[in-house]
Amino acid sequence: EAQVTQNPRYLITVTGKKLTVTCSQNMNHEYMSWYRQDPGLGLRQIYYSMNVEVTDKGDVPEGYKVSRKEKRNFPLILESPSPNQTSLYFCASSSKAGSYNSPLHFGNGTRLTVT
Amino acid sequence: KQEVTQIPAALSVPEGENLVLNCSFTDSAIYNLQWFRQDPGKGLTSLLLIQSSQREQTSGRLNASLDKSSGRSTLYIAASQPGDSATYLCAVDSDSNYQLIWGAGTKLIIKP
């Protein structure tokens, strides 16, 4: 089954404790992206990747890191999480860089709480 | 700068009705527009993607139209069912960096 898999689904952590949210897709998609979703602010892009070893900042990259060493994986790293990073996070992927005739496929989300 | 607006923010209708959700955007220079559905606590599911050269797309009971000149798209849902209850979001791809600009969504409730 074609899918985008995020782990974990829920995560509660404390300020400053490094964490990684994993994202994997099995569709051989070139394009992958991370979003956060907050009430009243909608979906905002954190980072995206057009292909292996190619990453770029989205609208809200501060406090986050990503890497794209393999085509299927695009982990999101919070080196020193803070309470304002409490949010619902989504990973998404697409062929043809998410444009033209290829829709975005989303993971089921990771709800992160930083205390 | 591209802005995407969805009105209304919430809509409640009886089962069986046909309904229209609206999405407007400020810059007509777009590559495509996508409609998504989001169920509570879940990820987004792509419903329809309309390329800039297209006027509409259909999938089952859903029909999405695009009028670039007026900066508007509509999502038409025929014969609504309680299972259609969800939040519907539209997103516009308007630059070569493939960064989607998102609307805030319309929360739809279909009453049995």
Side-chain angles (χ1 to χ4, degrees):
Chain A
E1 180 188 353
Q3 60 185 2
V4 178
T5 304
Q6 288 179 236
N7 281 298
R9 289 293 312 277
Y10 302 93
L11 180 57
I12 301 174
T13 190
V14 296
T15 300
K17 186 176 181 182
K18 180 179 178 181
L19 66 91
T20 299
V21 184
T22 63
C23 174
S24 180
Q25 50 91 7
N26 62 1
M27 296 167 280
N28 201 37
H29 284 167
E30 296 88 0
Y31 179 86
M32 297 186 75
S33 180
W34 277 102
Y35 294 90
R36 61 179 289 176
Q37 187 177 36
D38 302 286
L41 296 176
L43 272 161
R44 294 179 292 170
Q45 190 176 45
I46 303 171
Y47 269 95
Y48 64 98
S49 170
M50 303 283 252
N51 214 322
V52 176
E53 302 291 1
V54 180
T55 63
D56 212 340
K57 297 177 180 179
D59 297 318
V60 288
E62 295 78 19
Y64 304 94
K65 286 176 56 178
V66 294
S67 68
R68 188 90 183 273
K69 295 186 173 65
E70 307 164 280
K71 199 171 189 179
R72 63 183 292 127
N73 295 324
F74 190 45
L76 179 69
I77 303 156
L78 284 72
E79 294 270 4
S80 183
S82 62
N84 65 11
Q85 293 179 299
T86 293
S87 186
L88 180 59
Y89 291 87
F90 289 105
C91 179
S93 74
S94 174
S95 64
K96 298 188 183 294
S99 187
Y100 297 104
N101 60 354
S102 181
L104 273 177
H105 297 259
F106 279 80
N108 281 330
T110 295
R111 186 167 293 280
L112 172 66
T113 302
V114 183
T115 61
Chain B
K1 181 183 176 184
Q2 181 74 271
E3 294 181 2
V4 179
T5 304
Q6 291 186 250
I7 296 174
L11 181 63
S12 180
V13 300
E15 180 179 5
E17 283 199 5
N18 303 325
L19 60 97
V20 174
L21 306 181
N22 296 297
C23 173
S24 61
F25 46 95
T26 54
D27 187 344
S28 62
I30 66 172
Y31 288 91
N32 66 43
L33 183 146
Q34 299 184 49
W35 282 93
F36 294 86
R37 167 189 174 134
Q38 184 175 23
D39 294 284
K42 298 267 183 80
L44 284 75
T45 301
S46 178
L47 297 173
L48 290 164
L49 182 151
I50 311 176
Q51 297 178 43
S52 61
S53 58
Q54 298 174 323
R55 298 281 297 186
E56 66 177 342
Q57 283 284 344
T58 298
S59 176
R61 296 183 292 108
L62 304 180
N63 176 277
S65 68
L66 175 64
D67 184 344
K68 284 199 307 177
S69 61
S70 65
R72 295 178 63 182
S73 175
T74 61
L75 179 67
Y76 175 82
I77 303 177
S80 59
Q81 304 169 359
D84 295 329
S85 298
T87 296
Y88 291 80
L89 297 99
C90 68
V92 168
D93 187 354
S94 60
D95 66 21
S96 60
N97 286 331
Y98 311 115
Q99 296 196 53
L100 298 181
I101 310 299
W102 294 84
T106 295
K107 183 175 182 178
L108 176 64
I109 297 173
I110 307 298
K111 297 175 289 186

